[in-house]
Every structure is written in structure tokens, then in C-alpha cells.
């Protein structure tokens, strides 16, 4: 066992003894390695969230100093969601008792999940109990998901993780499992050096929302130009690609062939079917040498705007000339 394990377990045993904490036989508990809390990237991410929340809630005179300590009762999340969605929630603003706080959190998280188009069946990294128990890992996962959806123009630091130790008590003693919990997108240096397109997309999102909107409009025009023959119109770049269906139809139009319905779900009913569709899209792109940057299908399903722009950019870069020729063809046909 390495020294970091020994130190963490020793610290846990000391904490357990000093607080008389009891872990029932067979139950698992997760603890954060204290040294990982000092990561500069983690501090950068947490500072961003604190500054973003405080700026958003400035008129409410709310000041957040600690994410896990200030968000657990649902008040800050409630106000933040109302500001981001312009939708009022039917909950008490101040919740003092544990039961009322959890009920409020339930309402807030249910509404968040609706906007993210996810459910608890999707094995989410957050839930009422975790947030109310001031679980930093769950709180960060939740804030990353919220910021990706409502602030897609913001580039979060990559490779942010927390080192955790999962402890389980059994008849033989303490079982330990070391785990790196990635909070933001995981990329290694080799990937970064070999994918110049990724740098272009990253640089685009750093230029601000106005520049991003210009590119989004260009991609929207490109997509609709090739889908008009199917009677399909895309109005929202951020949501209409999440189930993979329109991407599959678009590839079929660009490649001039019909993709058999047995290959994908035309009306996906859950996240599993959406992931199947998006994974199939990525396979098609990879087979044709178009996928110049590793894209996580979960990001597309989770409405990650940057991932959506990347996948559409792959198609645009390859078929933009075809788009021009189609435009000229249509012009002659209508003249």
C-alpha cells in the first residue's frame, strides 16, 4: 500500500475515532483525499462557480463563499435556476427544517433534470441526499452540468478531478478502493497535441457568445440546406441533435444513401437509446476519417454545445463544397 493510501486511511481512522462515526457492515462510504482539494485546476473551477453564482444573484444580495456549505439547503440553487430559466418555482424561499430543505431540493433538482433532459434512472452524479449532505463531488457535477447547459460559451478547465477513497467495512476489516473522480472533460496531452481542430473550437468559445452565435447560424444554415428534402427543419442547435436522429439523417443526405432503420432508434425513448444513436453517428464519422477529435457521446446527449458544434464542424469541413453545389443546383431549378 503506497504512502498516500496509508496516510488517508490513517486520517480516516483518526477521524472515525474522534467523531465516533460508524459505518454499517457492508456499506460503502466515499472520502476525498485532502491533498486533491489543493489542485490549482480545482480551485480555478470552484472560484469560477462561486463568482458566477454571486454575479448572477447579486440583486438578491446572496453571497456564496463555499459551494458545498452554501448550496446544500436549496436556496441558492433555487434562486440560480429561477434567474437562468426565468421560471418561478413553487417552493418556500427559506427552508429551516431538514425535511423542508430536502423537499425543496427535490423540486429544484427535478426541474434542473427536466431542463437537462435527464432522469434519476440515468445514474446521475447528484441527488437530493448527496447535495443535502454537502457532498462536494456531487455539487460540482451538478454545477458543471448546469453551466454546460445554460452557459455553453464558457470554457471550463479540463482534467479537473478529485482523488477519492471508497471504504467498505466487512467481516475482515476495511476494504479500500482508490478512484479518480473526473469533474470536467478528461483529455491527455497527446490528444491535445494531435487535435488542432479541438483547439479551433476551444478558441471559438473563448471569443464570446457573439462569435459563437455567428458560427452556430452558419452551421444551422448548412444543416437545414441538406435536410430540406426530408421536410426536416432544425431551429435549435443546442437541443435537436441530442438524440442522434437528425445527425443520422444528415449523414445519409450528405453521403447520398439511406441508413436502414434497423441501425438506430427513430424515436428514442430513453437515454440508453439516445446514446446508441449518437455512438452510431460517431462510428460513421470515424469510419470515414472525419472524426478528428474524440467526442464523448454522453456530451451530445447531455446537450453540450461545444461537443455539438465539434461534431457538426466535422461534417461542415468535409461537405461545405457540396452545400454550395446544392445551393447552385436549387437556384437553377427555381429560375
Amino acid at each position: 500500500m503506497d504512502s498516500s493510501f496509508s496516510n488517508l486511511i490513517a486520517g480516516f481512522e483518526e477521524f472515525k475515532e474522534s467523531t465516533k462515526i460508524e459505518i454499517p457492515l457492508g456499506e460503502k462510504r466515499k472520502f476525498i483525499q485532502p491533498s486533491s482539494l489543493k489542485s490549482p485546476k480545482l480551485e480555478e473551477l470552484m472560484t469560477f462557480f462561486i463568482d458566477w453564482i454571486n454575479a448572477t444573484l447579486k440583486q438578491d444580495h446572496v453571497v456564496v463563499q463555499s459551494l458545498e456549505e452554501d448550496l446544500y439547503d436549496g436556496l441558492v440553487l433555487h434562486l440560480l435556476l429561477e434567474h437562468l430559466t426565468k421560471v418561478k418555482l413553487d417552493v418556500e424561499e427559506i427552508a429551516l427544517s431538514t425535511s423542508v430543505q430536502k423537499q425543496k431540493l427535490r423540486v429544484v433538482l427535478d426541474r434542473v433534470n427536466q431542463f437537462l433532459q435527464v432522469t434519476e434512472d440515468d445514474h446521475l452524479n447528484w441527488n437530493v441526499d448527496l447535495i443535502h449532505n454537502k457532498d462536494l463531488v456531487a455539487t460540482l457535477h451538478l454545477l458543471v452540468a448546469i453551466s454546460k447547459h445554460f452557459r455553453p460559451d464558457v470554457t471550463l478547465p479540463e482534467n479537473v478531478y478529485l482523488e477519492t477513497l471508497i471504504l467498505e467495512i466487512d467481516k475482515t476489516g476495511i476494504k479500500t478502493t482508490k478512484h479518480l473522480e473526473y469533474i470536467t472533460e478528461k483529455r491527455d496531452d497527446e490528444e491535445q497535441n494531435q487535435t488542432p481542430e479541438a483547439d479551433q473550437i476551444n478558441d471559438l468559445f473563448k471569443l464570446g457568445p457573439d462569435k459563437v452565435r455567428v458560427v452556430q447560424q452558419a452551421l444551422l444554415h448548412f444543416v437545414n440546406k441538406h435536410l430540406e428534402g426530408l421536410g426536416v427543419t432544425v431551429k435549435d442547435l443546442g437541443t435537436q441533435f441530442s438524440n442522434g436522429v437528425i445527425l443520422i439523417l444528415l449523414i445519409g443526405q450528405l453521403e447520398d444513401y439511406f441508413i436502414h432503420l434497423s441501425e438506430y432508434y427513430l424515436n428514442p425513448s430513453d437515454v440508453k437509446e439516445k446514446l446508441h444513436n449518437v455512438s452510431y453517428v460517431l462510428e460513421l464519422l470515424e469510419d470515414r476519417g472525419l472524426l478528428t477529435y474524440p467526442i464523448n457521446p454522453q456530451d451530445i446527449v447531455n446537450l453540450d454545445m461545444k461537443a455539438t458544434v465539434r461534431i457538426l464542424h466535422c461534417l461542415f469541413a468535409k461537405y461545405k463544397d457540396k452545400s454550395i453545389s446544392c445551393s447552385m443546383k436549387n437556384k437553377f431549378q427555381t429560375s
Side-chain angles (χ1 to χ4, degrees), residues 139-254:
T139 302
L140 287 173
H141 276 303
L142 175 62
L143 290 174
V144 167
I146 291 174
S147 66
K148 278 186 172 183
H149 183 75
F150 292 103
R151 291 292 307 276
D153 57 304
V154 173
T155 300
L156 299 177
E158 297 172 334
N159 295 324
V160 178
Y161 66 86
L162 283 165
E163 183 179 340
T164 61
L165 190 69
I166 300 173
L167 301 178
E168 181 179 4
I169 309 296
D170 62 14
K171 294 179 180 179
T172 63
I174 300 176
K175 286 185 177 180
T176 62
T177 305
K178 189 177 181 181
H179 178 64
L180 294 183
E181 182 96 19
Y182 276 85
I183 307 299
T184 62
E185 186 176 4
K186 179 184 178 182
R187 289 179 57 202
D188 57 40
D189 293 336
E190 184 178 355
E191 287 177 342
Q192 293 179 20
N193 292 334
Q194 293 181 353
T195 54
E197 180 189 326
D199 295 333
Q200 294 175 18
I201 301 301
N202 283 333
D203 290 343
L204 166 67
F205 277 79
K206 291 176 182 177
L207 294 176
D210 292 339
K211 299 293 185 182
V212 173
R213 275 194 291 270
V214 171
V215 173
Q216 288 174 337
Q217 287 302 314
L219 292 175
L220 203 60
H221 178 76
F222 166 76
V223 169
N224 285 326
K225 200 68 181 174
H226 289 284
L227 292 178
E228 61 183 357
L230 299 177
V232 175
T233 302
V234 176
K235 297 181 179 179
D236 189 344
L237 207 68
T239 61
Q240 287 184 256
F241 294 98
S242 64
N243 65 13
V245 174
I246 292 181
L247 288 170
I248 292 172
L249 297 176
L250 178 61
I251 292 173
Q253 290 296 98
L254 293 171

Side-chain angles (χ1 to χ4, degrees), residues 13-180:
E13 292 288 8
E14 181 179 348
F15 171 76
K16 180 180 177 182
E17 179 63 28
S18 64
T19 59
K20 302 302 181 184
I21 184 173
E22 294 294 336
I23 298 181
L25 193 67
E27 184 175 320
K28 294 181 180 180
R29 295 282 180 89
K30 183 189 294 185
F31 298 89
I32 297 175
Q33 168 68 282
S35 61
S36 69
L37 293 172
K38 300 177 183 178
S39 163
K41 285 190 174 182
L42 177 64
E43 292 179 356
E44 178 187 352
L45 182 67
M46 294 176 68
T47 299
F48 163 75
F49 283 136
I50 289 174
D51 291 344
W52 174 45
I53 293 171
N54 286 338
T56 304
L57 303 183
K58 184 177 181 179
Q59 68 185 61
D60 295 294
H61 306 291
V62 171
V63 178
V64 171
Q65 296 180 319
S66 167
L67 295 177
E68 65 269 40
E69 292 289 340
D70 293 339
L71 272 63
Y72 82 97
D73 63 355
L75 172 61
V76 172
L77 289 172
H78 160 214
L79 295 175
L80 180 64
L81 189 62
E82 286 192 341
H83 276 277
L84 295 175
T85 64
K86 310 303 181 185
V87 175
K88 286 290 183 182
L89 297 181
D90 186 19
V91 294
E92 295 183 30
E93 184 166 330
I94 304 299
L96 298 179
S97 69
T98 297
S99 60
V100 176
Q101 289 172 354
K102 285 190 171 184
Q103 177 58 33
K104 179 174 183 174
L105 269 175
R106 167 64 61 188
V107 174
V108 173
L109 293 184
D110 282 349
R111 184 57 62 90
V112 169
N113 293 343
Q114 287 176 13
F115 279 104
L116 300 181
Q117 296 186 353
V118 297
T119 67
E120 291 186 350
D121 293 335
D122 299 325
H123 306 292
L124 302 177
N125 292 309
W126 61 84
N127 59 42
V128 171
D129 289 331
L130 288 174
I131 300 299
H132 193 264
N133 288 338
K134 305 179 183 179
D135 187 301
L136 178 60
V137 174
T139 302
L140 287 173
H141 276 303
L142 175 62
L143 290 174
V144 167
I146 291 174
S147 66
K148 278 186 172 183
H149 183 75
F150 292 103
R151 291 292 307 276
D153 57 304
V154 173
T155 300
L156 299 177
E158 297 172 334
N159 295 324
V160 178
Y161 66 86
L162 283 165
E163 183 179 340
T164 61
L165 190 69
I166 300 173
L167 301 178
E168 181 179 4
I169 309 296
D170 62 14
K171 294 179 180 179
T172 63
I174 300 176
K175 286 185 177 180
T176 62
T177 305
K178 189 177 181 181
H179 178 64
L180 294 183

